[in-house]
Amino acid sequence: APYDIEHRILVNGELLWVRERAEINFSNDGSPLQGIGTIQNITERKLAADQLAEERQRLNDFLDGKHAGTWQWNLLTGEALFNDRWAEIFGYKLSELSPFTSSTWERFVHPDDLLKSNELLTKHFAGETDYYQCEVRMRHKNGHWVWIADSGRVTRRSANGRPLLMSGMHLDISKRKEAEERLRHSETLFRNIAENTADWLWVCDLNGKHLYSNKAGAEILGYSQEQLLSMDILH
């Protein structure tokens, strides 16, 4: 059998990676007669492979820290790959969703968000955007909706620019969406109270600039709300 091994050697104080290959000829009794081989310097290839492995590890550490779901989509075959976290975000084990295709995730996306997502994907496929980014709702196994920040990009295209492979990730942003909804509710409640009271309610910054003034203030002072907002109370 051919002799083929990769190992390190020390040359002039420098450690190099080499690939050593050889063909050994043996006599009838099994004794080695001669060997013909080559030694190839593969240090650059090894360093590149190590660097790639480190970058992948950093990426995996980042995704683990973000609790991100990852996906990869073959646009020619429709096949898709997902990690365990991708399924966990909306309550499933990855094995429950097999076999995987691009339609696997479409089954769980809110219809309105699916339309928006497809529009953004079409623009990205056409090269109109550098990245695909969309916020979508996915149906959790327990029945409620989970908000997902879905992002990705085409990583491989054909010679004529046709998209071949796309990769991306999912992040659960449900808590952020809930906080935004609570804030909107609080703002609406404040405005409803402020606009329906007979007292003048106003908000100014530290420089005296009006940030808000209700209708009562305008009626009391005889100005419009727009005029009040343009006034500086310190000058």
Side-chain angles (χ1 to χ4, degrees):
Y3 173 79
D4 192 337
I5 187 172
E6 295 180 358
H7 61 90
R8 287 169 290 182
I9 61 174
L10 191 63
V11 179
N12 297 326
E14 183 180 2
L15 200 60
L16 303 178
W17 273 98
V18 297
R19 181 181 182 185
E20 188 174 350
R21 291 180 290 180
E23 286 284 349
I24 309 297
N25 295 322
F26 296 90
S27 65
N28 291 334
D29 63 3
S31 301
L33 296 176
Q34 66 174 355
I36 301 175
T38 61
I39 294 180
Q40 178 186 9
N41 186 344
I42 59 170
T43 304
E44 187 174 341
R45 191 198 80 192
K46 276 289 189 178
L47 292 176
D50 290 344
Q51 182 179 3
L52 180 59
E54 290 177 3
E55 290 175 354
R56 285 176 175 169
Q57 186 59 51
R58 284 196 294 269
L59 176 60
N60 288 334
D61 291 343
F62 169 78
L63 294 176
D64 287 342
K66 291 289 187 179
H67 303 291
T70 60
W71 52 268
Q72 188 177 76
W73 179 15
N74 186 321
L75 284 87
L76 287 180
T77 65
E79 294 175 322
L81 295 174
F82 307 101
N83 69 351
D84 291 331
R85 176 58 183 161
W86 184 89
E88 291 171 359
I89 289 176
F90 53 106
Y92 288 86
K93 293 181 179 179
L94 200 60
S95 58
E96 295 180 84
L97 305 178
S98 180
F100 304 118
T101 67
S102 58
S103 63
T104 301
W105 85 283
E106 292 177 358
R107 301 202 316 262
F108 300 96
V109 180
H110 191 288
D112 294 343
D113 299 336
L114 183 58
L115 288 173
K116 178 175 63 175
S117 171
N118 287 338
E119 290 175 0
L120 294 173
L121 278 171
T122 298
K123 290 183 178 180
H124 180 58
F125 291 159
E128 296 179 21
T129 58
D130 293 331
Y131 292 89
Y132 155 78
Q133 293 179 320
C134 189
E135 294 182 354
V136 300
R137 287 160 290 182
M138 297 187 73
R139 177 73 73 179
H140 193 277
K141 190 176 183 179
N142 293 336
H144 62 275
W145 293 105
V146 178
W147 274 102
I148 303 293
D150 186 22
S151 60
R153 65 186 295 268
V154 172
T155 57
R156 188 180 304 167
R157 292 180 182 268
S158 65
N160 62 2
R162 180 182 180 184
L164 302 177
L165 191 66
M166 185 172 182
S167 299
M169 69 178 183
H170 276 185
L171 289 173
D172 185 348
I173 57 170
S174 299
K175 290 184 179 180
R176 193 199 82 194
K177 284 290 188 178
E178 290 170 3
E180 290 174 352
E181 182 58 33
R182 288 195 297 270
L183 180 59
R184 281 193 295 269
H185 177 73
S186 296
E187 289 176 344
T188 300
L189 181 61
F190 169 78
R191 288 187 178 277
N192 286 339
I193 294 173
E195 293 301 326
N196 290 285
T197 182
D199 298 323
W200 179 22
L201 295 179
W202 52 270
V203 179
C204 289
D205 64 17
L206 296 177
N207 296 318
K209 177 178 174 54
H210 268 98
L211 301 177
Y212 172 78
S213 184
N214 65 352
K215 290 187 296 185
E219 294 170 356
I220 292 172
L221 299 177
Y223 294 103
S224 69
Q225 285 180 286
E226 290 75 16
Q227 288 175 314
L228 283 175
L229 289 175
S230 67
M231 293 180 180
D232 187 335
I233 66 171
L234 298 181
H235 299 89

